[in-house]
Amino acid sequence: MACRYSPCCTCKNFVKTSAVALTGNVLTLTIPEGIYQNKQRVCICVSQALPSGLNGTQTVAILIGSNTTQYPLRSKSGNAIYADQIRSRKVYCTITATDIPSFTVQNTEAICPTTHVFNNIPTASVPTETAKGVK
């Protein structure tokens, strides 16, 4: 079915979730079974109500049909999408990746801000003048 619901998307792969559940610390969005190829555009409509108690510590993953493999949902920059960034009845335009199995959200304006606190990348210690051999 062609996507008519999102202005950013011209894909032919519009799917609605068949289930939304919180499994452990992962919000899973189940989409219909199918073959999803590398770099394929898939527009995912979250059709069910989201479970209560979602926050910025739970990541989001896609389940395909009855398969139990979780495919992480990522932002364009590669960050995980967190449960507090997803809304019910919204369409998320994604691109599949099969080398590192995941779905990447392309319409970043559809993603809400998160309360997740990201870690910093530690900086390397700067060598002192003595350590460089300067007296």
Side-chain angles (χ1 to χ4, degrees):
M1 170 194 246
C3 179
R4 299 171 294 154
Y5 301 97
S6 181
C8 70
C9 187
T10 57
C11 77
K12 296 178 181 155
N13 299 306
F14 176 80
V15 296
K16 291 181 181 179
T17 57
S18 57
V20 174
L22 187 58
T23 308
N25 213 24
V26 179
L27 175 66
T28 56
L29 308 176
T30 304
I31 63 174
E33 263 187 54
I35 297 173
Y36 298 96
Q37 299 173 342
N38 193 46
K39 294 186 178 181
Q40 181 177 357
R41 188 180 296 262
V42 179
C43 290
I44 302 171
C45 176
V46 180
S47 301
Q48 292 75 21
L50 298 174
S52 61
L54 297 178
N55 59 51
T57 63
Q58 302 136 341
T59 57
V60 180
I62 306 297
L63 292 178
I64 299 173
S66 59
N67 193 334
T68 58
T69 304
Q70 295 181 354
Y71 301 97
L73 188 60
R74 304 261 180 224
S75 69
K76 278 186 182 180
S77 62
N79 289 332
I81 299 293
Y82 291 89
D84 63 347
Q85 294 181 277
I86 297 294
R87 299 293 179 263
S88 186
R89 294 173 217 16
K90 272 215 166 214
V91 175
Y92 297 95
C93 301
T94 67
I95 299 289
T96 59
T98 57
D99 56 346
I100 302 174
S102 60
F103 286 76
T104 302
V105 175
Q106 296 298 296
N107 56 332
T108 52
E109 67 280 356
I111 300 298
C112 300
T114 182
T115 59
H116 180 74
V117 177
F118 291 90
N119 294 331
N120 293 324
I121 296 174
T123 57
S125 58
V126 179
T128 62
E129 292 299 317
T130 346
K132 290 183 189 177
V134 177
K135 296 181 181 181

